[in-house]
Amino acid sequence: KRKIIIGSRGSKLAILYAEKAKEKIMSILDGKSINKIEIKKIITQGDKVLDKRVSEIGGKGLFAKNIEKELLDKKIDLAVHALKDMPSIETKGLLTNIFLERNDPREVLVTKNGNTLENLKKNSVVGTSSFRREFQIKNKRSDIQCKLIRGNVETRIKKLDENFYDAIILSYAGIN
């Protein structure tokens, strides 16, 4: 019997998905050929640079490059990663071919007082890291100021609590 090592980013959400993958593997193998599955947290370049948009610092591959290197160097056996952060061109020698069930794709406006986008005060500041989300917000409310926000869910909510933003946009899956 051997051990399987799963590589993942270290955020709570990433680890949650890695745990789901671990459970699925355990249920399929039923302990027949492995004795342990371990999750290894890997820090990516995308996790280190938080003051710029991902597109400004090298694109979505920044979240995958270090994890892919661990795979290629055989330091991990497989990786669990958000498909949205994967580069569109696969890395030679690696294959993306197994997917966990898709989560709810909706997004959530988070405010301290439960306001909707329509009810935010004029010229409110909304935190998002997505050009698409910014475009959608501006389409509904041209007075809204969109300001870059990066970091995991906890970091973003803390920035809202500390009044850096009047509202933030998060994925429903991340909140859930």
Side-chain angles (χ1 to χ4, degrees):
K1 289 188 177 186
R2 70 179 202 103
K3 174 172 76 171
I4 293 175
I5 301 173
I6 299 172
S8 172
R9 290 177 59 209
S11 72
K12 280 186 179 181
L13 190 58
I15 295 300
L16 179 74
Y17 285 116
E19 288 289 345
K20 282 185 175 188
K22 176 180 174 178
E23 289 169 17
K24 189 72 172 169
I25 293 167
M26 292 295 278
S27 72
I28 291 168
L29 296 178
D30 197 23
K32 293 176 185 142
S33 58
I34 57 161
N35 60 2
K36 184 177 182 188
I37 297 179
E38 177 183 308
I39 296 172
K40 180 179 180 181
K41 296 178 185 177
I42 301 168
I43 297 171
T44 69
Q45 192 63 27
D47 295 314
K48 293 177 186 175
V49 180
L50 298 177
D51 61 343
K52 293 186 169 116
R53 289 186 190 273
V54 172
S55 59
E56 294 173 16
I57 56 173
K60 294 182 175 202
L62 290 176
F63 288 105
K65 190 175 274 186
N66 289 10
I67 295 171
E68 289 182 342
K69 183 174 180 349
E70 294 268 328
L71 274 169
L72 291 167
D73 292 346
K74 300 192 184 323
K75 293 180 180 174
I76 59 175
D77 298 298
L78 62 115
V80 175
H81 207 15
L83 191 58
K84 71 177 184 62
D85 292 329
M86 296 292 291
S88 57
I89 298 171
E90 287 189 338
T91 300
K92 187 176 178 168
L94 299 179
L95 180 64
T96 304
N97 66 347
I98 299 175
F99 304 89
L100 293 170
E101 186 177 330
R102 173 110 163 78
N103 276 317
D104 191 313
R106 293 177 295 173
E107 293 157 350
V108 178
L109 180 77
V110 181
T111 65
K112 286 186 181 182
N113 54 14
N115 272 340
T116 63
L117 186 64
E118 293 78 13
N119 294 338
L120 287 175
K121 69 181 189 278
K122 191 167 176 63
N123 299 317
S124 287
V125 177
V126 175
T128 181
S129 61
S130 164
F131 283 122
R132 177 185 51 79
R133 290 175 180 163
E134 183 175 341
F135 176 79
Q136 290 170 327
I137 290 166
K138 293 279 192 182
N139 195 34
K140 285 195 168 272
R141 290 276 308 271
S142 61
D143 64 296
I144 297 276
Q145 298 173 48
C146 289
K147 185 176 163 188
L148 177 67
I149 188 169
R150 293 275 320 277
N152 60 35
V153 171
E154 296 82 12
T155 300
R156 293 180 189 210
I157 289 173
K158 184 178 180 203
K159 289 177 180 180
L160 175 66
D161 287 340
E162 293 172 350
N163 297 315
F164 289 102
Y165 305 89
D166 298 301
I168 58 176
I169 305 282
L170 295 171
S171 71
Y172 180 81
I175 293 289
N176 196 24

